[in-house]
Amino acid sequence: MRTVRRLAVAFGAALALLPAVPAGALPAGGPRPAAETAVSAEYPVVMTIETVNKPVAVPNGTVTITGHVTNAGKSVLKSAHAAVRKPWQGKPLTTRSELTDVTTRTTPTGRDGVDLDSPQYALNELGPGQSQPYTLSVAVSDLQLSTEGVYELAVDAWGSTADNQRDRPLGIARTFLPYDPGATGAQPSKVTTLWPLVHAPVLAAQTFSDNEQTIPVLRDDSLAAEFAPGGRLYELVETGSSLPGLTWVVDPDLLDTAFAMTKQYRVQKPGSEKKAAKEDNTVLGTGSAAATAWLEKLRTAVAKPGSQVVALPYADPDIASIAHNAAELPGVDAALGKAATAGRLTVEGRLAVDTRSDVAWPYQGYLDQQIAAMAQRTGSSLVLANGASLPEPDALKYTPTAVRPIGNGQNAVVADEAVSALFEKDLGTPQEQTLAIQQFLAETFVISRQEPQNPRGLLVMPPRDLTANTAKALATAVQAAQAGKWVEPVKLDVLAQGPADPKANAGVPAATDYPSQARASELPSSALTDTVKIQSDLDILMRVLTLPQRVRGPFSAAMVRSMSTEWRAQAPEGSVYRDGVAGYLAELTKAVYVPKKNVITFAGDTGVLQVSVRNDLTQPVTNLKLVLSPSQANRLKIRPAEELVLPASQSVTLRFQAEAQNNGPVSMTAQLWTTGPNPQKYGEPQVFTVEVTSVTNGVLYVFGGGLVLLLLAALRFFRQRKRRAQDDEGDGDGPRGDEPLDGEPLDDEPLDDAPAAADGPARPDGAADRTTPGTVDEDGPRGPERGGAAQTPRGSSTDGRDRATSDEKVGP
């Protein structure tokens, strides 16, 4: 009698539902993860299906299902039990829209079938919030499956509640069960599964040097845990190694980081991103053993026959952000081209396998015309695309193969949107994993039977940050479908070389159709502009270094890392990384500089201006010159300087011949410039004041006027004495007129207060006097044991500084 009542309820619900869901009205594209049962007073139970012991049913088999029943209502459950529903009318689901219909239901309906009388699992009285596990084993024959195909597998709770004594369905859980009674002659679908090995950039631009080696520096030690057993990257390699025909998609920067970690490495302390790596701002890394074992494990996995390795451009630069926000920046194409070449060489070198490096994978596979053009500019002939970017026309009643010619010699391999969506998030619970596996099997089974003699090519595209749990579920699904012989795993090259379907959509959308949520996470134009500028600043620094290889490699790689796609999900960390790279480069550049000064005194109309240049780098620098530019060139003329050579961690003092025309202050700018073709300013200018005093012409006028007055006075005095002598000539007491008077100088003797001679003549050629490391540096003259002494300007201490003002002082 209960069965008859249930049939009547189911039949009535089905009649009510049929007009609302006409055939073909549901969207194509396959199922999404099953919807949660809507909890209400009528349906207070939440059911879960957590395991299905036989993902594919076979004749004479048994399917065992486990899960939980939870009372999410406000009333006690009474006389309830769990049971498996026999599929409605015993008919399979033959279209992808029918699969979608099942996954979008939220309450029990007649289309879910009818409860089997056996087996049933009696439930205890469950109060609000209480839960109970269940296990149901059902014979495949009892499900009365009519033919091969995919069927809905539903488990519900039936009973009453304390506030509603009516016997009714209280909640339901749904999944799918493929039924395969034997070979039918259908050709298996060729399925390519991408297996991404990527991680946000960790290697810093800094390196740490001890007495024996150069040690890499990491921004954090997160990879130590990821490479160890149980870590995400370890589990990806462990799981992927069991899959045939896998396509590994590898970021070469991750391999370089792993290799760097196999030896001694150091990790930055927080807040030291812009500083040179030292003992006090770094700590020793802890992941050397794990990184070594992981690399060996990966080399073994990718060497399996039938596998393929795709090398992403080095550090996986975000070509979508670049295409939208930095496509016209100078140097972008060159940087991406170098990243592609470096990517291929790195993967081949680290893994000892052949790789494919002409594959572009824009963020989440979203494609538009600007992204396709950027991929082509950087040499990518194949683009991995999301099915949402190239949706199929409504008139197409089957799933086309993945390959699409998109013009200009490029092909896209389009991932199946519905299948890939099953593995987008972390499948952290058994329920989520089982639902994804069973829906994958249902999807691929239906696709393989759409045109049984015309096998399709499918691409499964999980996210870049594929988790260990999701990877295990995906691997289980692929292996189960392969065991059912409706899926054949193949590498990307096999799929890409297959024939394209002329009826499939190959029209790349315009940039205006790019998804807004993806646009919102892009690297902004300002960040990309600043990052590209790093290359131009680095080029200037490279001009002056005598050992540029110490800096070029780490910074060039760090610049590309600054544009990594992985920063999409870690925007704050990406900003810190970019700021750290730019800040450290600025610190290195500023290590060669003109020390700050305020006033220099210049006495006389000609002489020498002394200006020091300091090199705080640990290597010598060259190809530099210092240019002094007075604000009033008509008052103070400066002769040009020669090219500089600055030893490591030392100063050099330059001597500029100068000629002053007038007394008073003159503003002076000291700017370092690179030499050679296309000279560039180096570093920030230093502005100081030159105080010009005692210009020679004025001094001579003063002394000359005083001397004339003195001579006139002396002549008058002499004449007066001579008259008095003539008047007193008869006495014979006075001196003779031609004898000098006591205390009076002769006309040809110098005056006591006449100016003294200069210390030495100015250099006649007017060239700057460059002191070498063996003569004078900023800290003072070197003694004979260091190569000789330098002249010290008068009126100053031995190191050329005015100790009262701490400014450099010059003399004639």
Side-chain angles (χ1 to χ4, degrees), residues 196-468:
L197 292 180
V198 299
H199 188 278
V202 174
L203 271 173
Q206 292 91 329
T207 55
F208 183 94
S209 297
D210 61 15
N211 294 330
E212 298 180 356
Q213 61 182 328
T214 298
I215 300 172
V217 176
L218 277 60
R219 66 182 180 92
D220 61 46
D221 212 8
S222 58
L223 283 174
E226 293 221 21
F227 289 150
R232 185 182 74 91
L233 292 171
Y234 178 93
E235 296 300 329
L236 288 182
V237 175
E238 176 75 12
T239 303
S241 63
S242 65
L243 290 177
L246 200 62
T247 299
W248 302 81
V249 184
V250 183
D251 178 2
D253 176 55
L254 176 62
L255 300 182
D256 262 358
T257 306
F259 182 78
M261 292 173 62
T262 61
K263 303 176 182 179
Q264 184 183 127
Y265 68 96
R266 300 189 72 86
V267 178
Q268 292 176 334
K269 292 181 179 179
S272 60
E273 297 85 2
K274 301 180 181 180
K275 302 175 182 177
K278 299 178 182 178
E279 288 277 359
D280 60 354
N281 61 20
T282 61
V283 296
L284 283 173
T286 61
S288 295
T292 301
W294 183 82
L295 272 177
E296 282 301 317
K297 192 177 189 68
L298 178 59
R299 291 186 185 110
T300 301
V302 300
K304 289 184 61 175
S307 297
Q308 182 175 5
V309 177
V310 170
L312 293 171
Y314 196 92
D316 190 18
D318 188 347
I319 64 168
S321 293
I322 295 170
H324 293 155
N325 303 320
E328 303 307 320
L329 283 179
V332 164
D333 288 354
L336 293 180
K338 291 178 181 178
T341 301
R344 176 179 58 81
L345 295 176
T346 300
V347 173
E348 290 178 351
R350 300 296 185 210
L351 299 182
V353 294
D354 292 332
T355 66
R356 180 166 185 173
S357 60
D358 64 336
V359 179
W361 188 14
Y363 173 69
Q364 293 185 349
Y366 289 119
L367 183 65
D368 63 25
Q369 293 172 5
Q370 290 181 342
I371 298 171
M374 177 59 67
Q376 186 181 45
R377 283 165 54 181
T378 56
S380 296
S381 61
L382 192 67
V383 182
L384 304 177
N386 189 324
S389 295
L390 287 87
E392 301 308 331
D394 294 338
L396 199 62
K397 300 303 181 183
Y398 60 88
T399 301
T401 196
V403 181
R404 316 287 168 83
I406 58 176
N408 298 320
Q410 280 183 306
N411 284 336
V413 181
V414 181
D416 189 277
E417 182 183 5
V419 172
S420 298
L422 299 173
F423 305 99
E424 284 181 352
K425 68 175 185 176
D426 179 27
L427 303 177
T429 67
Q431 176 192 5
E432 293 172 327
Q433 294 165 14
T434 296
L435 288 176
I437 292 168
Q438 296 304 124
Q439 290 180 44
F440 177 90
L441 296 175
E443 281 284 347
T444 53
F445 192 100
V446 169
I447 291 171
S448 69
R449 298 308 193 263
Q450 287 175 341
E451 294 184 351
Q453 301 307 316
N454 182 22
R456 236 55 52 81
L458 299 178
L459 177 67
V460 181
M461 180 191 293
R464 277 174 163 83
D465 58 350
L466 177 64
T467 67

